Amino acid sequence: MFYDLNVPYTTNHAELQRTLAFLAELGYSTVALNHTISGKLPPDLTSPIPHPLPFPTPPRLRILTRITLDLSTPATTPRLPALLPHYHLLALAPTTPQTLTLACQAANVSLISLDLTSTRLFILPRKTLSLAIQNGIRFEIRYGAGVLDGAGGGGAARRNLISNATALVRATQGRGIVVSSEAGRALACRGPWDVGNLAEGWGLSGERGREAVGRAAMGVVARAEAMRGGWRGVIDVVHGGEKPVEARVAKGAAQGGLKGKGKDKGKQVRQGKAEDEAAKGIGKRKAEVLEEDQNGEEKPVSKRELKRRAKKARTEAAAGTNGEQAASTEVLEGTSAARTVDAAGNSQHATNGTPPAEATDGENLRNETEALEAQGG
């Protein structure tokens, strides 16, 4: 993307149309139409450049407006902020060292345009120019008057342009330079690569020369747009991601339907959430039942669920084993207790000298038998 930030606006629309068409063919994407004011600012600061232009322009060519003030006295500087709403770019053309210092300290200026075709150019202080470059201001070199023979003195204008442009490049160390055509006719226009070749004669490298009509000029336009659309470093928000009007209306209606006081309002909100979850199939998970999706297929069991099931199976198996062990233990304990009781009885009879219970019964039977025999005899 290449920029030509100085094309004088003229009421000769036919010539201006040819110039814009030729610049578009040369590869320029953005052109600034310049309106120059000398002396005091008029009461009406409205731009005389019509928008849109009354003639067709190339579709891919972006057209900006620019105002250049011939700064001879500091009296016009307080009204500079009032020009920003009417023009895209604001440039100053100082004619004295005092006005140059004032222009380098201005806050709303995009370009400083010096008349490099003059015979005597005042001394360019390096510190003042460096301060302006640090503040975002760029210095403009206009090659149109030096390209055309017979314009502004012909060969003299070309010599002065080369000499003064070299002094400007030396003072700025090749930084903060923007090259414009100031072409009143299509014949004075040059392509971006030709401008790079011209810049080599002024002490700039070819790459720096192409940047002077490319990236450097683009930075000037971006800074000017930020100044026009911002305030104290805050840029206007073009789109903040607002929802469409229909969505805002629907949300307002939904909120209006849920209006209430105290617990009723909270209950309505909870019911609404529950209905939404039920409609979406969202609810509490049951570990025992596999969830099924809308197609009727079982969802895969998660690793956490598998671990939980394995732990439950181990717990149940351990509980069953413990029950069996307890039953067998009770049987064994009963058997041992019976044996212990029998052993205790036998030991007691032996100690007292009485026979066991079985022996006593046999003796009684024998005695009864003997008694019966005696009676019979």
Side-chain angles (χ1 to χ4, degrees), residues 143-226:
Y143 65 84
V147 168
L148 294 176
D149 291 334
R158 183 181 295 110
R159 289 192 298 270
N160 294 335
L161 174 64
I162 295 173
S163 176
N164 294 330
T166 303
L168 179 61
V169 170
R170 188 182 302 114
T172 59
Q173 299 180 351
R175 299 180 296 111
I177 300 295
V178 173
V179 180
S180 303
S181 65
E182 197 185 19
R185 293 183 296 171
L187 187 61
C189 298
R190 294 293 182 270
W193 304 99
D194 294 335
V195 172
N197 295 333
L198 288 174
E200 291 183 357
W202 304 331
L204 284 174
S205 62
E207 182 179 358
R208 285 286 184 90
R210 287 186 292 272
E211 286 183 357
V213 293
R215 186 166 58 183
M218 181 177 62
V220 171
V221 175
R223 180 175 179 270
E225 290 179 350

Side-chain angles (χ1 to χ4, degrees), residues 328-346:
S328 60
T329 302
E330 290 179 356
V331 172
L332 292 175
E333 288 179 353
T335 306
S336 61
R339 291 177 179 176
T340 302
V341 171
D342 294 339
N346 296 330

Side-chain angles (χ1 to χ4, degrees), residues 98-367:
Q98 293 77 14
T99 55
L100 175 62
T101 302
L102 186 63
C104 292
Q105 297 175 353
N108 300 316
V109 178
S110 301
L111 291 169
I112 294 178
S113 181
L114 301 173
D115 186 10
L116 301 181
T117 58
S118 62
T119 304
R120 292 183 179 181
L121 184 66
F122 49 84
I123 298 176
L124 302 174
R126 179 173 295 181
K127 291 184 178 180
T128 305
L129 302 185
S130 299
L131 178 62
I133 294 173
Q134 291 178 2
N135 293 334
I137 302 175
R138 297 294 179 259
F139 293 89
E140 182 184 39
I141 298 178
R142 300 170 290 178
Y143 65 84
V147 168
L148 294 176
D149 291 334
R158 183 181 295 110
R159 289 192 298 270
N160 294 335
L161 174 64
I162 295 173
S163 176
N164 294 330
T166 303
L168 179 61
V169 170
R170 188 182 302 114
T172 59
Q173 299 180 351
R175 299 180 296 111
I177 300 295
V178 173
V179 180
S180 303
S181 65
E182 197 185 19
R185 293 183 296 171
L187 187 61
C189 298
R190 294 293 182 270
W193 304 99
D194 294 335
V195 172
N197 295 333
L198 288 174
E200 291 183 357
W202 304 331
L204 284 174
S205 62
E207 182 179 358
R208 285 286 184 90
R210 287 186 292 272
E211 286 183 357
V213 293
R215 186 166 58 183
M218 181 177 62
V220 171
V221 175
R223 180 175 179 270
E225 290 179 350
M227 288 191 298
R228 294 177 69 247
W231 182 74
R232 292 187 180 182
V234 180
I235 307 301
D236 288 346
V237 178
V238 179
H239 177 67
E242 296 84 359
K243 295 182 179 180
V245 179
E246 296 81 1
R248 292 201 299 269
V249 172
K251 183 177 180 181
Q255 291 179 353
L258 292 176
K259 286 184 177 180
K261 295 182 179 180
K263 298 181 179 180
D264 294 338
K265 182 177 180 180
K267 185 177 180 181
Q268 291 177 359
V269 173
R270 290 193 296 272
Q271 288 179 355
K273 290 183 178 180
E275 292 177 358
D276 294 341
E277 292 180 354
K280 295 179 181 179
I282 302 175
K284 294 184 178 179
R285 296 180 301 173
K286 293 183 178 180
E288 294 79 9
V289 182
L290 291 175
E291 296 180 353
E292 296 185 357
D293 57 5
Q294 297 179 357
N295 297 328
E297 298 178 356
E298 292 185 356
K299 292 185 177 181
V301 183
S302 62
K303 292 183 179 180
R304 180 178 296 179
E305 178 65 18
L306 292 175
K307 292 181 179 179
R308 194 193 66 79
R309 293 181 181 181
K311 183 178 180 180
K312 183 178 179 181
R314 289 195 300 270
T315 304
E316 292 177 353
T321 304
N322 293 335
E324 293 177 357
Q325 291 179 355
S328 60
T329 302
E330 290 179 356
V331 172
L332 292 175
E333 288 179 353
T335 306
S336 61
R339 291 177 179 176
T340 302
V341 171
D342 294 339
N346 296 330
S347 63
Q348 185 176 0
H349 287 294
T351 303
N352 297 332
T354 59
E358 296 178 356
T360 302
D361 293 340
E363 185 178 356
N364 294 334
L365 182 61
R366 188 171 55 253
N367 294 333

Side-chain angles (χ1 to χ4, degrees), residues 37-42 69-70 73 75-76 79:
I37 296 179
S38 300
K40 295 182 179 181
L41 290 175
L69 300 178
D70 289 335
T73 60
T76 57
R79 298 185 61 190

